[in-house]
Amino acid sequence: MKRKKFKIPTESDPVFIIAELSANHNNNFDLAVKTIEAMAESGADAVKVQTYTADSLTLNVDNEFIKPIQSGPWKGRRLYELFKEGSLPYEWYPKLIEVAEKNELIFFASPFDKEAVDFLDDLDVQLYKVASPEITDIPLIQCIASKGKPVILSTGMASEEDIELAVKTMRENGSNDIALLKCTSEYPARLSDANLATLPDLQKKFNCIVGVSDHTDGFIVPSASVVLGARIIEKHFILDRSLGGLDSFFSMEPLEFAFMVETVRKTQETIGTIDYTLKESNKARRRSIFASRDIRKGEPITDENVKVIRPGVGLHPKFFNDILWKKAAKDIPFGTPIFWDSII
């Protein structure tokens, strides 16, 4: 089986659509497999996972500095327990990669520590994703960049200075194939917080392909972002929200995801190129100057005997005043278009 190759899309390439597995495996290998298969059936180009252990992200302690989450959907949960529940077992990776590639999906991940970066590199994963909270982890970004693979960087928890430093770090450490994702790191996020107007600015300032990592409900943000230049879309994917789980409430089910993919593809199709060409078929549908009654040779042209009407086969209407009071060069029958050789 030939492996599907990845490259950061250009502005003229089809939008690259990522289905995020995240914690929606619910620690069930068979569910993870079925979910990846459903991603492919729903039109995704890639499956992304998160490569970490609880110890990659926090410490197993409960004190005044590392407290249970204070608000939001995971309020009251200890970070260590939350990450332990959501992590994808490392021993699943070889088989899940096989499943993904069998279904013509690109498999990649967000690593959260250097060990995860090396682990993914040993598995020959083609690209890396830097998650929004890790954008300030410069040692991690240096490690990722050193592998020389394409990098997608999410900016949901970044200031402009953070993005600048992260991109600079990647380029200085061997990674020049970079894409930036506009992300609102709320779960779920509100449409009013999407701020998609940032996309063209992000692309211009950092000279990178841009996209969105979207946590809003539905497909509006992905579709609208394409018009503003997004060429990568990432959405959380779940087989069935009724299964529950940490990310279930802001994830898309297969039919929803498939509809989003179709909408994004059609939206991109409408963009086309800058084009002011007037089609020949439309020229005749416009107006031109016609004889509105019989005009005899030598008779003056007046607004009583010529008129601007459809179709557009005669003189352009802009010449209407120019031809008034000139004389007919020949007999001009009623309903005949006026041309320059019709008048003297």
Side-chain angles (χ1 to χ4, degrees):
M1 180 180 62
K2 190 174 181 180
R3 189 185 199 197
K4 189 176 180 181
K5 296 293 184 181
F6 173 79
K7 68 179 184 68
I8 296 289
T10 65
E11 291 183 37
S12 60
D13 285 330
V15 175
F16 185 70
I17 300 179
I18 303 164
E20 164 69 74
L21 180 62
S22 189
N24 288 330
H25 52 80
N26 287 358
N27 289 299
N28 182 316
F29 176 77
D30 290 336
L31 177 60
V33 169
K34 290 177 182 177
T35 303
I36 291 173
E37 291 171 342
M39 291 171 175
E41 291 173 3
S42 299
D45 296 305
V47 50
K48 188 187 82 71
V49 301
Q50 298 180 6
T51 308
Y52 65 85
T53 65
D55 295 297
S56 304
L57 294 167
T58 191
L59 300 173
N60 189 12
V61 64
D62 187 359
N63 59 25
E64 60 181 306
F65 306 105
I66 305 176
K67 301 176 181 178
I69 297 172
Q70 300 298 301
S71 62
W74 303 298
K75 182 178 180 180
R77 300 291 303 274
R78 291 181 64 235
L79 287 174
Y80 193 87
E81 293 171 351
L82 194 72
F83 296 138
K84 191 171 182 179
E85 179 183 337
S87 63
L88 183 73
Y90 281 28
E91 60 269 23
W92 292 3
Y93 278 70
K95 179 60 178 175
L96 293 183
I97 291 173
E98 183 181 327
V99 171
E101 294 187 350
K102 180 181 177 182
N103 286 275
E104 298 186 346
L105 292 174
I106 290 169
F107 182 101
F108 74 107
S110 297
F112 290 81
D113 58 16
K114 293 180 181 179
E115 291 74 21
V117 176
D118 291 336
F119 171 73
L120 292 168
D121 193 43
D122 289 341
L123 291 170
D124 197 26
V125 170
Q126 298 186 64
L127 70 149
Y128 294 99
K129 163 87 183 289
V130 177
S132 290
E134 278 56 56
I135 195 167
T136 57
D137 190 342
I138 298 304
L140 176 64
I141 291 174
Q142 288 172 329
C143 180
I144 290 172
S146 71
K147 302 300 182 182
K149 297 181 179 182
V151 179
I152 297 173
L153 187 148
S154 206
T155 63
M157 297 187 183
S159 66
E160 187 177 330
E161 291 74 19
D162 292 329
I163 301 169
E164 185 176 2
L165 177 58
V167 171
K168 180 172 180 284
T169 300
M170 284 189 281
R171 287 173 173 159
E172 288 177 347
N173 286 272
S175 182
N176 291 304
D177 207 2
I178 304 165
L180 301 177
L181 301 190
K182 176 72 180 72
C183 175
T184 304
S185 296
E186 303 292 337
Y187 309 91
R190 297 179 300 179
L191 292 173
S192 58
D193 290 332
N195 293 320
L196 294 180
T198 309
L199 283 169
D201 190 64
L202 198 62
Q203 185 172 24
K204 182 179 178 181
K205 281 180 176 170
F206 299 102
N207 192 28
C208 291
I209 286 295
V210 296
V212 293
S213 177
D214 180 43
H215 304 127
T216 62
D217 291 331
F219 58 89
I220 293 175
V221 166
S223 299
S225 71
V226 171
V227 179
L228 292 167
R231 290 299 174 266
I232 300 175
I233 305 292
E234 180 183 80
K235 269 284 208 181
H236 284 245
F237 187 105
I238 192 168
L239 205 57
D240 186 335
R241 275 190 294 273
S242 68
L243 294 169
L246 296 176
D247 299 336
S248 59
F249 60 96
F250 63 91
S251 298
M252 275 188 157
E253 293 182 347
L255 287 178
E256 296 168 327
F257 195 94
F259 185 76
M260 179 199 73
V261 170
E262 181 183 12
T263 304
V264 165
R265 301 290 184 219
K266 288 181 177 178
T267 301
Q268 185 176 14
E269 188 178 351
T270 69
I271 296 170
T273 59
I274 297 171
D275 182 13
Y276 296 103
T277 304
L278 176 62
K279 292 182 178 180
E280 287 297 324
S281 60
N282 283 333
K283 287 182 180 179
R285 300 172 65 187
R286 306 191 305 172
R287 292 187 175 219
S288 63
I289 305 173
F290 272 73
S292 58
R293 64 173 177 80
D294 290 334
I295 306 173
R296 301 185 67 82
K297 182 179 178 180
E299 185 179 348
I301 304 297
T302 72
D303 56 8
E304 296 293 328
N305 57 21
V306 293
K307 187 175 183 180
V308 174
I309 61 165
R310 296 181 186 181
V313 295
L315 280 179
H316 194 290
K318 67 183 178 181
F319 298 117
F320 186 83
N321 290 332
D322 295 335
I323 67 172
L324 292 180
W325 302 109
K326 294 185 182 296
K327 293 183 178 181
K330 56 186 177 181
D331 288 346
I332 308 173
F334 168 67
T336 302
I338 303 294
F339 297 102
W340 285 118
D341 64 359
S342 305
I343 54 179
I344 54 176

